[in-house]
Structure formats: structure tokens, C-alpha cells
Amino acid sequence: MSKKVLILGGDGFCGWPTALHLSANGYDVTILDNFSRRKIDIDLNVQSLTPIASMEDRLAAWKEKTGRTIGFEKINVAKEYDRLLHILNTHKPDAIVHFAEQRAAPYSMRDSQCKRYTVDNNLNATNNILCAIVESGQDIHLVHLGSMGVYGYSTTHAPIPEGYLSVSIKSPDGAEEEREIMYPPSPGSIYHLTKTQDALSFYFYNRNDGIRITDLHQGIVWGISTPETDLDPRLVNRFDYDGDYGTVLNRFLVQSVVGHPLTVHGSGGQTRAFIHIRDTVKCIRLALENPPARGDKVKIFNQATETRSVRELAEIVSRMTGCEVRSYADPRKEDQENDLWVENSQFLKLGLQPTTLSEGLLKEVKTVAANYRDRCNLSKVPCTSLWNAKQSLDTVGTPLDLLPHHEERERERTQA
Amino acid sequence: MSKKVLILGGDGFCGWPTALHLSANGYDVTILDNFSRRKIDIDLNVQSLTPIASMEDRLAAWKEKTGRTIGFEKINVAKEYDRLLHILNTHKPDAIVHFAEQRAAPYSMRDSQCKRYTVDNNLNATNNILCAIVESGQDIHLVHLGSMGVYGYSTTHAPIPEGYLSVSIKSPDGAEEEREIMYPPSPGSIYHLTKTQDALSFYFYNRNDGIRITDLHQGIVWGISTPETDLDPRLVNRFDYDGDYGTVLNRFLVQSVVGHPLTVHGSGGQTRAFIHIRDTVKCIRLALENPPARGDKVKIFNQATETRSVRELAEIVSRMTGCEVRSYADPRKEDQENDLWVENSQFLKLGLQPTTLSEGLLKEVKTVAANYRDRCNLSKVPCTSLWNAKQSLDTVGTPLDLLPHHEERERERTQA
């Protein structure tokens, strides 16, 4: 009998290709979603660069192409607890994959309403899911998409470990105690804050109720398509390029196609971890196939395959396309230069063969971007979500070289 | 001009005497409350052992006795953000004291509804307050009542420090790095979980927006009255003795008066930190008088004056009253024996002179309990909120010596 899995947030950028990948690999998949991501598009007056089909058409196309059925339930898991519990009691899933969170850092910092929505939605969604698993009395493996951003960024001589850190604590009497702790979190946005708070919920429910949980600390996703989304135009994945939801590399690729300078924020020395969407969906499957045993602590994977600085990325894209790289005032409060070294041996040991930036796959994404360039609204490219009151909409979105005293101002602002 | 302070949750067990104490000490006090605590009493079919007056009568009595005015706004800060922001913009407080959270661990574990309410209420309340402070653009000092329970319980050779811990991290290359981290949290209930999640919110808003924040990690409060609540019967504080909201020592005192055996859970070897309500209100004032400077990290105090095991407490009360001590099946998942050593020098340095258990103040509380013994509902004494599915209502509330194989079962359950 095939394994039953619920994909919460299965209409989104990571959720949709995951649902297809698991269905293609023999899982009995049901998507739960409230279309919040599509509705935020309406509020922001942007749209996916790719024309995404409705959920009805997506599922019909999948059935038509593969003969496989994916179920769907429209539900807001952060608000409709009783219905969520009913779904667990009737579907009796073996596992739940939890993508049902507001997932953009800039959107989470846009204004009070967005901050409050992100906290309310993400924390209640996670708690409702955990609470419903306990109340259902079933042994359901929960796989959650977390973020590399929960770690803050390392300055040690060691790579960031997969979730847990050994430290030693010295006492006044000279005694020294070794202890394993969760890696000290340092969230850089409200969105990341909710992921660090989720981690504490997982810790508690795992210890108190024995729920088996895997938390995936994912890097920044790039790319758009997977073998499954390529099967039919109606299966195409969403592709965001706007200042709130677009991820940095995908934004650069679109910018290069539409002739916008590549928007490096500040110095571009911010180093981040990356993963291709094709690897994301494989990692989710590997996590499902390798659950923690009963009684085990929360299993944490770093779901990232390489690290690059934003400046490096811009240079790679610029070399491929000849387009200009330009520095803009950084809307975020963040270090302008950092190193990043990430342990990711667990997924490699499980057989993951990463898709790397150097393999020319940028080209595939560039092709998609070029096909839909006419759908791009240039006015949505700049990042306009300001991290705090020290920042000004007058400077954000403006090339640094056009600002008077920009270096000094930038230094003041990011150190403040 | 006197300092303006808002007391959020100022109708509760700690909030009310704090409001009076600050008003008596010259602060311009306004209480914000939604009466959630009184309404939970209705749901649980219990009442404060002391007959508490309505907010209107409380404030009229205070005015009558002291000539001082305390303002009041009925508001749910977790839900009514716009009104909260309006209050900040019009009152322009110098400080906010935040008690506006569901504060009982057993209640937070009662059932799914209580778990979900605690998470939704506490996390949205804290985020709304922080968000509104940022949006108001004012430099408001936030003082939050946290809990000693966020630490979990120490096994090191050093006392639990006040919030921050120095650790050293060894790298594979032999390098060693010293780092100061937030003390690794280990919440033992949903209530405590929300306090550890609050701590991350404070960390983020302090770093990103420069909000000045003091977080008070308070021990278990005992006692009932302060010099201010003693001024008039209409100013009396609430006194909880039930299995959800009663704190352990206050429960023992009521039990001794009404002839119920003292309800020690399991072995009683659980060591906890304590503080008298008179010291709580002084600590809040000291925290307000000693705010962190602009740019400082979150200031954390351990607000506890002594540590005792539950067994010790029961023995003290039993010696005073001659009443029986009896062990009951423990509804919590917790260690049955632990040491606890708490650093609390910050408040002592600021001049706090603790009210200790040995000072015979137990008597004052016992007098109150005796005055209102007829209001006690014995059926509400047992703790009936079960920590997880391994526990059974058939055993909880039953003396251990009446259970077959109780030691074995208890061991299995608490280790599970």
C-alpha cells in the first residue's frame, strides 16, 4: 500500500513541485491549501512570471499526464482546527509535509499588518498541526520546511552543524560540562523569527508527546522547474521576481532578461546558502523515507548544496548575460560581509546529487524568464520593505552611486 | 511629572497588586485588561478564594482610600491591534508592563482548545505590543513577566545565570571560541513554551528596532496581599487554589485549612524557585527604575528569592498545621528529583530585601485562607490537566499508595 502524505501549503513554490514529485514516486498525496499565496499576489498587485493554472486545472493535468490522482482540501490550517483534525482522523496519513507558512522575509517586514499576519499565521499553523497530531492519537511523521536563516550567520572555525551544537560550560568551581544544545538562533526578520519559534514548538511536542519530527533548514531556493512540472504547461511552477517574494538568484535572472541592472544590496558581501528546487523536492522525499525512530529527538537537516556571496552570484549572471551589476541601498538590517560554511553531509550520505550553479542550469531558468518577459512589471523589481525606521523609501531602490554620502549613510544605518 | 505606565493584564494576580504598588509610588498608571482570567473562572466553574471586587469598584476604592486615580481600558491586546496602537499614540506611556498572557502551565495542557488559546493569545499579545511600540515611533521601555521555567532545570555546577550563558565552542581545527548565548531553553509545558518564544521576539525587536526591553524570569509566586491590597476589602487580590491556577504553596496553605491532605505530586523532589507577591511588585518597580540604556541588549533578571523542593514545602506546612502530606500520581511529565540553583544578585544589588518563607509570613496567608474557607470547592483541588496521552484521569488525583504497582507505573510514565 502506498504511503499517505498530506502536503500543507501544496499550492506554493516549494509545495507544488513537492506534491508532484511525491505522487510520481508512488505516494498517495493530498494537498491542503488556502490559496493565501495567490491572494497576496492580488494585494501586492504582482503576478508569478509564469502563468500558473488553477488548482483544479493543475490536478486535472496531472491526472491526464500520469494517471495519478492528487487529492485537495481547501483549508486554512492556522484557523480551521476542527476541520484539520477531522482530515487527520479520516485520511490517516503516514506523514505530513508542512509548508503552510508565510515564507518571505521582506513581506514579513513590510508593515505592521504583514508582521502580525506572519506571526499569527505561522505560529498558529504549526501549533495547530502539532496539536491535531497529538489529539488524533496517530503516529504521524511531521516534516517541516525551516530555514538556514534561523542560525544567523556563523563566525566560528567550524561549519554550521545540522541543528545541534556541542558546547562546554565552565563553572566558577572550575568544573567543565559538555552539553549538546540547539544551535543558538539569531533571526534576521519576522519571518525567520517564526521559524526559530517553530523550532521550540517542535522541541516541546517531541519531548512531551513523542511526535516524530524532521525540520529542514533550507537555503535560498533557485530554479523553477522539476521533471514533473515540465510535463505540461498547466503544471508549471510559480516564479516570483518581485522585491518581496523573488529569491535573489531568480531575481537576477529575470533582471538580466528584462534589462534591469542586477540589484545588489549594499556591498553584496552577504554570503548565503542555496539549493535548486529540483533538490528541494528530492530532499523532502529523502526526509520522508528516513524518519526519526520513535523516541528520537527532532531530526534536523541542513537543506542547502552550496554557498555564494550575492556579489559572486551577480558576477556569474553578468558574465553569462553581459548585463550591468549595480549596488542599491540595502533595505535590510544585516551585516554587509559575512562568511558562511554549512554542514550538509546528512543528505549527501542519503544519496542526494546536488544540482550546482556551475552546471549551466542557469540557462534553463533564463529560458523560462525569457519566454514570459512580457509578463514582468518592472516597477515591482525594487525591494521596498524596510527593516526598520532608520531606513527610508527615498533611498531604497536607488543605486548607491546616485546617493550623496551613501557609504557613510549605509554604514550608519546597518550598524545602528 | 510622574512617569506614565500601562499595565497590560492589570486585573490579574500579579498585575493588580503591581498597578496599586506603582500608583502608590507616584506612577501615572493605566490598566489594560480584557477580564480573560475572570472568564476562565466561569469556564472552569471555580472562583478566587477571596471575593474580588469588579474593576469599577476596585478603582473607586483605590481613589477613595488614597486619592489616586488609576485609568482603565478594556481591551484584548492579542486581538485589537488598532486600538492598542491608538492607546500608545494618545497615552504616550514611558513604559509598559506586560502581564497579558495566559499564565498557568496546567491550564495550558488541559486540552487542545487550551493549548491553542495559550499559544494564540500569548504570542499575538507579545507581538502586537512590540509591533505597536515600533509603529508608534516612541521610546517605550517594555517590562515583561517571564518565567524561571524557560530554563528547564540546571544540572551544572553553576547557578542558572540571569538570562545569558558563556559557552565555548571547539572547532575541528582545534580553535576554541567563547560566545555569550541566551540560556538554552527547555520548556516543560505549552505555557512555558510561549515564554521561550516570547524571548526570541524580544531578541529580534531589540536588535532590529532598538526597543528597550526587560524580561523578568519569575519563580512561583506565593502569598496574596501587599500593603496596598490590605488597605480595603475591595482591593483584595485574587487567590487561586484549584488544580489549574493555584500555585503550589498557596494550594498547600488552603489544603491545610480545609482539611485536604497536602497534594504532593510523585516524589515531591521537584525543586522550584519562589517569590512572595510583595517582592514581585517591588521587582517590577525596580525594573522600571533601572531600564536598559538605548542600544543595550534585552535585560534579563531572575525574579526569585529562594528555592525549595515541593516535599520540603509540604513538610513546612505540615509542621505548622499538623495536616497530612500525601503523594499523588503526577499529571506532569517532569523529572521527579532535581536540584536548582538560581543567580539573583541583580535585584539584591538594587536593594530588594526578600520576604522569606521562614519569616512566618505563611501565617498571614493562612489567615486569609481561613477567613474564606467556606468559599473553597474541594472538588476543584485535584490537578486534572494531563501532560500527555500516557497519563490517565483514573490515576491522577488518586493517592499513590492506593494505586497498584504505582512506583513502576510512575517511573514508566515520567520517563516515557
Side-chain angles (χ1 to χ4, degrees):
Chain A
M1 210 176 68
S2 62
K3 285 216 165 183
K4 276 195 181 180
V5 59
L6 303 181
I7 315 283
L8 280 49
D11 187 45
F13 175 57
C14 291
W16 174 242
T18 299
L20 297 185
H21 182 71
L22 294 177
S23 177
N25 282 274
Y27 284 81
D28 176 355
V29 174
T30 300
I31 288 172
L32 277 61
D33 206 294
N34 66 339
F35 303 132
S36 63
R37 184 63 197 83
R38 293 180 192 242
K39 290 174 182 170
I40 288 173
D41 273 352
I42 295 173
D43 291 336
L44 297 180
N45 190 25
V46 296
Q47 56 181 2
S48 163
L49 194 71
T50 48
I52 51 174
S54 70
M55 181 55 77
E56 254 182 79
D57 291 347
R58 282 180 153 185
L59 299 182
W62 183 246
K63 175 83 176 167
E64 192 185 310
K65 291 288 167 184
T66 66
R68 297 178 190 276
T69 301
I70 292 177
F72 176 70
E73 299 271 359
K74 182 176 172 300
I75 176 177
N76 180 342
V77 296
K79 299 290 172 194
E80 298 172 72
Y81 178 77
D82 292 339
R83 223 161 89 66
L84 175 64
L85 179 61
H86 179 73
I87 291 171
L88 298 200
N89 285 337
T90 51
H91 281 62
K92 299 199 181 306
D94 300 286
I96 291 174
V97 185
H98 171 25
F99 296 108
E101 298 189 295
Q102 193 297 100
R103 61 101 171 146
Y107 183 79
S108 78
M109 299 304 292
R110 196 173 175 83
D111 57 26
S112 296
Q113 198 276 331
C114 292
K115 289 178 191 177
R116 297 177 53 243
Y117 167 70
T118 301
V119 166
D120 184 46
N121 181 73
N122 293 7
L123 298 181
N124 278 314
T126 296
N127 189 54
N128 279 353
I129 294 161
L130 292 163
C131 206
I133 292 174
V134 172
E135 190 166 358
S136 78
Q138 298 168 58
D139 178 24
I140 300 171
H141 174 208
L142 178 64
V143 175
H144 171 255
L145 198 77
S147 165
M148 281 295 305
V150 302
Y151 294 121
Y153 292 101
S154 170
T155 55
T156 65
H157 294 256
I160 291 181
E162 305 204 58
Y164 299 94
L165 180 69
S166 282
V167 298
S168 87
I169 303 165
K170 280 180 194 131
S171 305
D173 66 359
E176 198 161 337
E177 188 194 357
E178 293 288 327
R179 205 190 262 202
E180 187 191 74
I181 61 171
M182 284 202 283
Y183 195 93
S186 184
S189 73
I190 290 283
Y191 157 75
H192 291 105
L193 170 63
T194 64
K195 296 291 189 185
T196 66
Q197 291 169 316
D198 281 345
L200 290 169
S201 295
F202 298 142
Y203 172 88
F204 174 74
Y205 279 92
N206 168 262
R207 294 238 308 184
N208 191 68
D209 301 285
I211 301 185
R212 293 181 302 132
I213 300 171
T214 301
D215 199 6
L216 305 171
H217 290 181
Q218 184 172 256
I220 298 171
V221 184
W222 66 281
I224 163 175
S225 69
T226 63
E228 294 84 17
T229 65
D230 281 342
L231 286 178
D232 189 281
R234 290 167 295 170
L235 298 174
V236 71
N237 198 11
R238 61 175 303 128
F239 189 27
D240 301 305
Y241 64 93
D242 63 285
D244 276 335
Y245 277 92
T247 54
V248 58
L249 181 51
N250 282 359
R251 277 167 53 77
F252 285 171
L253 293 163
V254 173
Q255 289 165 2
S256 74
V257 171
V258 300
H260 193 290
L262 305 186
T263 54
V264 168
H265 289 155
S267 76
Q270 308 93 335
T271 302
R272 297 290 181 266
F274 291 88
I275 185 167
H276 193 283
I277 185 75
R278 292 181 185 199
D279 293 337
T280 289
V281 303
K282 283 183 212 157
C283 286
I284 304 284
R285 181 167 52 79
L286 290 171
L288 287 169
E289 288 170 359
N290 297 277
R294 287 190 205 195
D296 280 2
K297 68 183 178 187
V298 176
K299 195 168 184 174
I300 298 175
F301 290 90
N302 288 341
Q303 186 164 308
T305 57
E306 56 190 314
T307 59
R308 301 272 181 169
S309 75
V310 171
R311 194 167 45 219
E312 258 183 288
L313 286 183
E315 280 159 10
I316 293 171
V317 175
S318 176
R319 270 200 302 276
M320 280 176 53
T321 62
C323 74
E324 181 195 1
V325 178
R326 207 157 179 188
S327 289
Y328 290 75
D330 189 350
R332 303 192 183 206
K333 179 169 160 58
E334 62 183 354
D335 291 336
Q336 294 297 295
E337 302 282 334
N338 71 284
D339 289 327
L340 181 61
W341 183 16
V342 176
E343 179 64 67
N344 67 345
S345 63
Q346 288 187 110
F347 272 132
L348 299 178
K349 275 184 202 149
L350 294 175
L352 179 70
Q353 295 180 307
T355 302
T356 59
L357 288 164
S358 55
E359 282 172 47
L361 276 156
L362 296 177
K363 217 175 148 188
E364 159 241 327
V365 184
K366 218 188 124 199
T367 307
V368 173
N371 282 342
Y372 301 112
R373 60 184 296 169
D374 294 344
R375 289 171 54 90
C376 180
N377 178 346
L378 278 175
S379 75
K380 300 299 179 183
V381 168
C383 290
T384 54
S385 289
L386 307 181
W387 250 240
N388 63 34
K390 293 242 160 61
Q391 293 156 328
S392 149
L393 266 179
D394 293 339
T395 54
V396 162
T398 308
L400 282 181
D401 50 55
L402 299 185
L403 295 176
H405 318 298
H406 69 272
E407 278 173 13
E408 197 181 314
R409 291 171 58 163
E410 203 44 22
R411 207 167 38 239
E412 269 175 24
R413 201 186 47 69
T414 54
Q415 289 170 356
Chain B
M1 209 176 68
S2 64
K3 284 214 165 184
K4 277 194 181 182
V5 59
L6 303 180
I7 314 283
L8 280 49
D11 187 45
F13 175 57
C14 290
W16 173 243
T18 298
L20 297 186
H21 182 70
L22 295 177
S23 177
N25 281 274
Y27 284 80
D28 176 356
V29 174
T30 300
I31 288 172
L32 277 61
D33 206 294
N34 66 340
F35 302 132
S36 62
R37 184 64 197 84
R38 293 180 192 241
K39 290 172 181 171
I40 288 173
D41 273 352
I42 295 173
D43 290 336
L44 297 180
N45 190 26
V46 296
Q47 56 182 2
S48 163
L49 194 71
T50 47
I52 52 174
S54 69
M55 181 55 76
E56 255 181 78
D57 290 347
R58 282 180 153 185
L59 299 182
W62 183 245
K63 174 83 178 167
E64 192 184 310
K65 291 288 167 184
T66 66
R68 297 179 190 275
T69 301
I70 293 178
F72 176 69
E73 299 271 358
K74 183 175 172 300
I75 175 177
N76 180 340
V77 295
K79 299 291 173 195
E80 299 172 72
Y81 178 77
D82 292 339
R83 221 161 90 66
L84 175 63
L85 179 61
H86 178 74
I87 291 171
L88 298 201
N89 285 337
T90 50
H91 282 62
K92 300 201 181 304
D94 299 287
I96 291 174
V97 185
H98 171 26
F99 296 106
E101 299 190 293
Q102 193 295 101
R103 61 103 172 145
Y107 184 80
S108 78
M109 299 304 292
R110 195 172 175 85
D111 57 25
S112 296
Q113 199 274 332
C114 291
K115 289 178 191 177
R116 296 177 54 242
Y117 166 70
T118 301
V119 166
D120 185 46
N121 180 74
N122 293 8
L123 298 181
N124 278 314
T126 295
N127 189 53
N128 279 352
I129 294 162
L130 291 163
C131 208
I133 292 174
V134 172
E135 191 167 357
S136 77
Q138 298 168 56
D139 179 24
I140 300 171
H141 175 210
L142 178 65
V143 175
H144 171 254
L145 197 77
S147 165
M148 281 294 306
V150 303
Y151 293 120
Y153 292 101
S154 171
T155 57
T156 65
H157 294 256
I160 291 181
E162 306 203 59
Y164 299 95
L165 181 69
S166 282
V167 299
S168 89
I169 304 165
K170 279 181 194 130
S171 306
D173 67 0
E176 197 161 337
E177 189 194 355
E178 293 288 327
R179 205 190 263 203
E180 186 191 74
I181 62 172
M182 284 201 283
Y183 196 93
S186 184
S189 73
I190 291 284
Y191 156 75
H192 291 104
L193 170 63
T194 63
K195 295 290 188 184
T196 66
Q197 291 168 316
D198 281 344
L200 290 168
S201 295
F202 299 141
Y203 172 87
F204 174 73
Y205 279 92
N206 169 261
R207 294 237 310 182
N208 191 69
D209 301 285
I211 301 185
R212 293 181 301 133
I213 300 171
T214 300
D215 199 5
L216 304 172
H217 291 182
Q218 185 173 254
I220 299 171
V221 184
W222 66 282
I224 165 176
S225 70
T226 63
E228 293 85 16
T229 65
D230 281 343
L231 286 178
D232 189 282
R234 290 167 295 169
L235 298 175
V236 71
N237 198 12
R238 59 176 303 126
F239 189 29
D240 301 306
Y241 64 92
D242 62 287
D244 276 335
Y245 277 92
T247 54
V248 57
L249 180 51
N250 281 359
R251 277 166 52 77
F252 285 172
L253 293 165
V254 172
Q255 290 165 3
S256 73
V257 171
V258 299
H260 193 289
L262 304 186
T263 55
V264 169
H265 290 153
S267 78
Q270 308 92 334
T271 302
R272 297 291 181 266
F274 292 87
I275 185 167
H276 192 282
I277 186 75
R278 293 181 185 198
D279 292 337
T280 289
V281 303
K282 283 183 212 156
C283 286
I284 303 284
R285 182 167 52 80
L286 290 171
L288 287 169
E289 288 169 0
N290 297 276
R294 287 191 202 195
D296 280 2
K297 68 184 178 188
V298 176
K299 194 167 185 175
I300 298 175
F301 290 89
N302 289 340
Q303 187 164 309
T305 56
E306 57 189 316
T307 59
R308 302 272 181 167
S309 75
V310 171
R311 194 168 44 220
E312 257 182 289
L313 287 183
E315 281 159 9
I316 293 172
V317 175
S318 177
R319 271 199 303 275
M320 280 176 52
T321 62
C323 74
E324 180 195 3
V325 178
R326 207 158 180 189
S327 288
Y328 291 76
D330 189 351
R332 305 193 182 205
K333 180 170 159 57
E334 62 183 354
D335 292 336
Q336 294 297 295
E337 300 283 334
N338 71 283
D339 289 327
L340 181 61
W341 182 15
V342 176
E343 179 64 67
N344 67 344
S345 62
Q346 289 186 109
F347 272 131
L348 299 179
K349 275 184 203 148
L350 292 175
L352 180 69
Q353 294 180 309
T355 303
T356 59
L357 288 164
S358 56
E359 282 173 47
L361 277 155
L362 297 177
K363 216 175 148 188
E364 158 240 328
V365 183
K366 219 186 124 200
T367 307
V368 173
N371 283 343
Y372 301 111
R373 60 185 296 169
D374 294 344
R375 289 171 54 91
C376 180
N377 178 346
L378 276 174
S379 76
K380 300 299 178 182
V381 167
C383 290
T384 55
S385 289
L386 307 181
W387 250 241
N388 64 34
K390 295 240 160 62
Q391 293 156 327
S392 150
L393 266 178
D394 291 341
T395 54
V396 162
T398 308
L400 283 181
D401 50 58
L402 299 185
L403 294 175
H405 318 298
H406 70 270
E407 279 174 11
E408 199 179 312
R409 290 170 59 163
E410 200 48 20
R411 206 167 40 241
E412 270 176 24
R413 200 187 49 68
T414 54
Q415 288 170 0

